[in-house]
Amino acid sequence: MYPADMEASVKKVEATREKRLKETLPRLQEAERQPLLEKYHPDYIKASMRELKVGPNKGDRTPLEIADILEGNSRIDPGKVDLSKADYDVDVLVIGCGGSGASAALLARENGAKVLIATKLRLGDANTVGAQAGTQAADRPQDSPAHHYMDTMGGGHFTNIPELVEALVKDAPSAIQWLEKLGVNWDKEPDGTMHELSGGGASRRRLHSARDYTGLEEMRVLRDEVRNRGINYLEFSPAIELIMDDRGQIAGAVLLNLETNELSIVRARAVIIATGGMGRLHIQNFPTTNHYGATADGLVLAYRVGAKLIFMDTMQYHPTGVAHPQQILGQLVTEKVRTLGAQLVNAEGEQFIMPLEPRDMVASAIIRECKERGKGITTPTGEQGVWLDSPMIDVLRGEGTVARELPAMVRQFGRYNINISKEPMLIYPTLHYQNGGIKIDASGATTVPGLFAAGEASGGVHGRNRLIGNSTLDLFVFGRRAGTAAANYVKSAKPGKPTLDRVRRWQAELEQAGLAKSRPITPLLLPNYARQPYDYLADYTKEMLSAGQVKPA
Amino acid sequence: MAETTRMVDVYVMGKHYAVPEGLTILTALEYCGYRMVRGCGCRAGFCGACATVYNFKNDPQLRFDLACQKTVEQDMYLTQIPFFPAAKTIYDLEELQANGDQVLKLYPDIIKCFGCNTCTKTCPQELEVMWYMSDALRGDIKEVANKSFDCVICGLCAARCPQGLVPYNVALLCRRLYGRYLAKPSKHLEERIKEIEAGKFDAELKGLKKASEKELRERYNKREIEPAL
């Protein structure tokens, strides 16, 4: 049940449903796309970004929130950290353990490397578990890797790095099979045929799903396999600095125990950054679908040792974040709702965009509908949104489809007495994904020797806009590639003497640019949602708090 | 927060706080000034990190939920549950057989289940945990996989089981056995992998990689789109 004033609009949605069932809006014409983005997409708000003043991407534009953390101060004083004794000595250190980190660790191990995983929260606490809709792979006879390539390039506005897209689409079917052999339960017909759905910007049905718990299913299995393989892992132990050697190669990392503030030193011949995205920076104050730890730590670590970033001026706003109820504001309503047939409808019960356009287009159209045309619906807490007409799904595909295909969504809305098989869902764009990241080649190698990256932390494969189902795919394809490449790299690596000179040089650079005092201490590690309305600390108390301390002043 | 917001009385580990109506247990704790390190993950009901126990001022009955999903109510007593390790058997999936004996061999303690149904009553996902445990005992791996599918591995069932069983790990084993051995392999997937390995698409992809942006745009706009239904 919706509040009474919203219920009036629900009635209009119901009244137009029968007519809309026969109505298919045309796809956007080439000439309509760019103007729609430029006028309404949050990336095009000029004041929301600025140029970086230091580091490998000096002069490039990125959102203010990201610019601040990339230009951040180190938590450590290199003079006080002793690198002569290592707490861990491994071939490959994997930082982060979502889908890409787990894949990388498994493949590095399989290729003979001694592996350590360091992760900020628990093993597997990552955006991967929240991925609902599916994983793309062109494996049906009517499909081909070339179609997948074309869709991915078009979705990314033809800016994607071709070699990365080629790797993505060619490895996709074997990634699906790898997961199946590890015991992932794909949605299938009894004869083994994959049950595949369409997605925004995809020209073929190629989404492999596990109900609407796809990422959870993938992560449950990978995490269990990491345990079965006996790979060592440290939880609540984020990396706060990378260690280089005197030959300019990666030599390990400094980890922080989040609960005790103790540091540990990891010596590693190769490091794989698999730290995911940045949603918890709340770019432009957007709510986010991202998990608690999504604070772009990996970007900060890599940037500080000289790794080049790419496409850092483009964020993905998922078109359908929850706009009501307030308790789950900004959380993900899977695109699968649209792939199953639900239309997007304004307060008057009218469609305004073909629901399976790429995400940046749909998000822009929703913002236009609310901000310019005044046809959004306002919630009791003042949020705006439009309807996602989920009851259409059962009409189109048969009674019970919503319950069978979308159990997570049914459960989530059911808690607030909204029955999504009978009532529409109110949605608005929400901060979802970092389209760019650390620049990699097709093996996952960054521009720094010995440093690899995979998954959302890396950039290039999706260009300026990622398609549905290509992110979980990216995790497995590039996680596996980075794990393999790192294991092979260490076989011929000639380690030098570890130093923290890079941190010294970075701090000097910040001082020189006059930034040090005005920038935060990064990586951020965790957002701070604790309400602290009291400011009674004396200035000397604030200054006395140790630099690595997680708890804020 | 508007000044007219109604406040709800809650007790965090016994201490009284007033928080605005409509917060979840997680955001209520943050409103009280707690900054989470443990007990917080996806904040969206998928990761199982924030499993929590609560009861009410005048009702000692313990209740269970995910802190990020459950809305606070008047006179709720809140707490964060501590971490404790759960039994997990290490195995090599490639060496297993998908039958009931295998499940019993890896988790022999499941015979100790005496059907108290506490696990089911505890599950924040409202899964039929006790029934899938009895399916596991009978060796019906497919049913365990089906009934346990929406498990977020929050650990509450294991925390409450008086016999010390770990239903979620038994279920995970069964799902993996089902996916690996009992679900029929997909012929079109195998076929496609062979085609890719044989280089069937290499020339076409090479052409696409070399194509100019203009050419790609034209092909993209003209591409044929398969109906969604």
Side-chain angles (χ1 to χ4, degrees):
Chain A
M1 272 298 283
Y2 284 96
D5 45 343
M6 292 172 73
E7 199 60 42
S9 178
V10 172
K11 289 277 175 292
K12 290 182 187 172
V13 175
E14 286 170 355
T16 57
R17 190 171 294 142
E18 203 176 304
K19 189 179 115 230
R20 280 185 290 105
L21 280 165
K22 291 174 218 129
E23 174 190 82
T24 311
L25 291 195
R27 281 178 188 260
L28 292 168
Q29 295 295 305
E30 162 100 27
E32 294 173 282
R33 291 188 200 131
Q34 195 57 25
L36 179 63
L37 289 181
E38 283 178 16
K39 205 155 171 209
Y40 302 103
H41 196 277
D43 279 352
Y44 287 84
I45 298 172
K46 285 219 167 61
S48 74
M49 298 202 191
R50 69 169 171 84
E51 279 182 13
L52 286 162
K53 295 182 179 131
V54 289
N57 286 69
K58 187 174 170 179
D60 288 357
R61 287 174 66 79
T62 191
L64 304 176
E65 296 83 353
I66 294 178
D68 282 355
I69 63 156
L70 288 178
E71 294 170 354
N73 292 280
S74 175
R75 278 171 193 272
I76 59 172
D77 176 345
K80 294 179 183 167
V81 178
D82 179 12
L83 297 185
S84 65
K85 275 180 259 151
D87 300 286
Y88 302 90
D89 192 344
V90 296
D91 295 323
V92 177
L93 170 68
V94 181
I95 303 174
C97 194
S100 61
S103 303
L106 287 169
L107 266 288
R109 175 59 171 264
E110 202 176 304
N111 284 279
K114 185 180 173 194
V115 180
L116 175 70
I117 297 171
T119 190
K120 182 163 61 181
L121 298 172
R122 301 175 314 162
L123 197 68
D125 277 345
N127 283 334
T128 307
V129 295
Q132 297 168 33
T135 301
Q136 286 208 37
D139 58 5
R140 289 163 61 241
Q142 357 357 24
D143 200 359
S144 88
H147 291 310
H148 190 180
Y149 182 95
M150 203 58 166
D151 291 341
T152 303
M153 290 299 285
H157 304 284
F158 307 96
T159 56
N160 322 42
I161 296 174
E163 287 68 30
L164 299 184
V165 182
E166 183 189 30
L168 184 82
V169 301
K170 276 179 74 174
D171 281 12
S174 45
I176 296 287
Q177 190 181 57
W178 178 66
L179 289 168
E180 178 160 277
K181 292 210 161 142
L182 289 173
V184 164
N185 290 207
W186 298 115
D187 291 339
K188 283 180 166 188
E189 307 300 336
D191 70 352
T193 306
M194 294 279 182
H195 172 59
E196 298 181 38
L197 289 169
S198 187
S203 63
R204 294 290 186 278
R205 288 189 270 122
R206 69 169 79 92
L207 277 172
H208 297 68
S209 55
R211 301 188 184 170
D212 57 351
Y213 285 109
T214 309
L216 176 67
E217 167 66 354
E218 292 163 341
M219 194 69 244
R220 287 187 300 213
V221 166
L222 289 175
R223 177 174 47 202
D224 197 45
E225 190 63 9
V226 165
R227 289 185 174 137
N228 279 347
R229 295 286 155 205
I231 296 172
N232 194 14
Y233 60 88
L234 303 168
E235 297 180 314
F236 298 95
S237 299
I240 55 168
E241 218 61 71
L242 295 177
I243 303 169
M244 303 287 283
D245 67 18
D246 54 359
R247 306 159 67 118
Q249 311 167 117
I250 280 291
V254 180
L255 309 183
L256 172 73
N257 180 324
L258 265 190
E259 290 167 317
T260 63
N261 288 323
E262 183 190 10
L263 295 189
S264 29
I265 306 299
V266 181
R267 200 168 290 161
R269 267 134 316 275
V271 172
I272 302 173
I273 292 191
T275 51
M278 54 69 235
R280 292 285 156 191
L281 301 179
H282 296 288
I283 311 290
Q284 298 185 38
N285 285 323
F286 267 86
T288 184
T289 59
N290 285 189
H291 84 105
Y292 193 46
T295 51
D297 297 0
L299 298 187
V300 173
L301 297 175
Y303 196 66
R304 220 168 261 175
V305 297
K308 182 100 178 146
L309 310 181
I310 187 171
F311 297 124
M312 285 314 299
D313 57 342
T314 158
M315 302 297 132
Q316 182 165 85
Y317 296 84
H318 194 290
T320 59
V322 176
H324 177 88
Q326 171 75 19
Q327 284 93 335
I328 50 172
L329 182 74
Q331 289 179 16
L332 181 63
V333 173
T334 172
E335 188 168 326
K336 191 172 178 184
V337 181
R338 279 176 286 142
T339 72
L340 288 168
Q343 293 169 348
L344 288 159
V345 180
N346 65 22
E348 301 304 316
E350 304 154 343
Q351 279 202 83
F352 55 90
I353 181 85
M354 207 289 283
L356 291 181
E357 290 285 354
R359 286 180 175 167
D360 50 355
M361 300 295 168
V362 180
S364 300
I366 295 168
I367 293 171
R368 177 179 66 189
E369 208 63 15
C370 294
K371 296 271 151 87
E372 187 183 88
R373 296 178 175 168
K375 290 193 173 180
I377 296 90
T378 306
T379 71
T381 51
E383 307 293 335
Q384 287 251 311
V386 296
W387 297 112
L388 179 59
D389 195 9
S390 47
M392 292 179 65
I393 296 170
D394 278 4
V395 181
L396 288 166
R397 292 179 185 257
E399 198 79 18
T401 308
V402 169
R404 188 179 66 248
E405 297 274 352
L406 300 165
M409 291 289 94
V410 169
R411 189 173 277 125
Q412 197 154 45
F413 280 79
R415 281 175 174 273
Y416 307 102
N417 296 319
I418 295 168
N419 175 357
I420 65 164
S421 59
K422 301 280 176 240
E423 300 169 280
M425 310 152 98
L426 196 76
I427 57 88
Y428 193 77
T430 179
L431 183 59
H432 188 55
Y433 189 79
Q434 162 186 295
N435 290 313
I438 305 163
K439 187 169 183 261
I440 55 166
D441 67 14
S443 75
T446 70
T447 54
V448 174
L451 184 64
F452 298 79
E456 190 173 351
S458 68
V461 65
H462 308 296
R464 305 189 62 83
N465 175 58
R466 173 179 65 75
L467 294 186
I468 178 176
N470 268 355
S471 65
T472 45
L473 176 59
D474 170 0
L475 306 178
F476 313 123
V477 167
F478 290 97
R480 285 159 48 86
R481 281 174 172 250
T484 308
N488 289 333
Y489 167 87
V490 300
K491 285 173 190 159
S492 57
K494 294 191 178 61
K497 186 177 174 297
T499 88
L500 286 167
D501 283 348
R502 282 307 289 230
V503 178
R504 289 189 184 91
R505 287 219 295 278
W506 174 261
Q507 286 302 128
E509 211 178 325
L510 286 185
E511 292 286 349
Q512 220 163 38
L515 299 175
K517 290 216 162 51
S518 62
R519 295 294 182 263
I521 293 171
T522 60
L524 279 185
L525 305 181
L526 291 175
N528 187 6
Y529 297 135
R531 192 179 65 110
Q532 294 289 353
Y534 327 105
D535 184 13
Y536 47 75
L537 289 183
D539 288 345
Y540 63 82
T541 314
K542 287 182 190 169
E543 281 162 18
M544 282 165 72
L545 287 170
S546 62
Q549 205 148 358
V550 178
K551 287 211 164 99
Chain B
M1 207 60 71
E3 282 179 33
T4 51
T5 307
R6 215 172 72 86
M7 303 300 271
V8 175
D9 295 303
V10 298
Y11 300 81
V12 181
M13 285 169 276
K15 198 170 186 325
H16 172 258
Y17 297 88
V19 303
E21 183 180 49
L23 300 184
T24 61
I25 292 177
L26 176 62
T27 52
L29 289 170
E30 290 172 338
Y31 183 88
C32 295
Y34 286 85
R35 191 186 192 190
M36 311 317 262
V37 174
R38 289 184 183 263
C40 180
C42 73
R43 303 177 71 102
F46 287 89
C47 78
C50 65
T52 194
V53 179
Y54 64 92
N55 60 10
F56 289 93
K57 197 173 179 180
N58 295 315
D59 181 358
Q61 177 73 49
L62 290 183
R63 293 151 211 264
F64 310 89
D65 218 318
L66 301 175
C68 73
Q69 295 294 300
K70 177 70 185 170
T71 307
V72 288
E73 294 166 28
Q74 179 65 27
D75 288 338
M76 245 185 196
Y77 271 70
L78 308 177
T79 182
Q80 286 285 296
I81 60 167
F83 167 83
F84 52 91
K88 148 141 180 74
T89 310
I90 300 298
Y91 51 83
D92 181 345
L93 191 66
E94 288 306 308
E95 289 171 1
L96 302 190
Q97 285 175 342
N99 58 42
D101 289 347
Q102 184 73 71
V103 178
L104 262 175
K105 205 169 147 198
L106 292 175
Y107 287 102
D109 282 355
I110 63 174
I111 55 163
K112 291 184 191 163
C113 173
F114 56 73
C116 69
N117 208 32
T118 307
C119 48
T120 299
K121 284 188 275 188
T122 304
C123 180
Q125 294 285 87
E126 298 178 326
L127 304 182
E128 292 172 322
V129 184
M130 189 191 75
W131 289 123
Y132 81 58
M133 287 297 273
S134 71
D135 292 331
L137 267 171
R138 284 188 293 107
D140 191 345
I141 290 172
K142 185 179 178 184
E143 248 333 284
V144 182
N146 181 41
K147 288 199 180 89
S148 72
F149 200 85
D150 300 356
C151 171
V152 295
I153 312 196
C154 71
L156 280 169
C157 52
R160 291 291 285 162
C161 177
Q163 297 292 71
L165 307 182
V166 186
Y168 66 84
N169 274 339
V170 176
L172 179 55
L173 168 67
C174 289
R175 286 194 306 272
R176 291 190 67 180
L177 287 172
Y178 183 77
R180 171 68 183 86
Y181 294 108
L182 300 178
K184 280 222 171 106
S186 150
K187 286 206 188 73
H188 60 91
L189 178 65
E190 287 169 359
E191 203 50 45
R192 180 52 45 85
I193 292 169
K194 273 189 217 142
E195 288 172 350
I196 290 172
E197 279 167 1
K200 184 177 171 186
F201 305 100
D202 288 357
E204 196 180 0
L205 283 169
K206 199 172 164 196
L208 286 173
K209 272 166 65 189
K210 274 200 199 142
S212 69
E213 187 184 322
K214 185 165 170 278
E215 206 180 324
L216 278 181
R217 275 184 192 279
E218 275 167 20
R219 288 187 60 172
Y220 181 75
N221 291 329
K222 276 194 234 147
R223 79 203 198 288
E224 177 204 337
I225 292 177
E226 182 183 26
L229 279 169

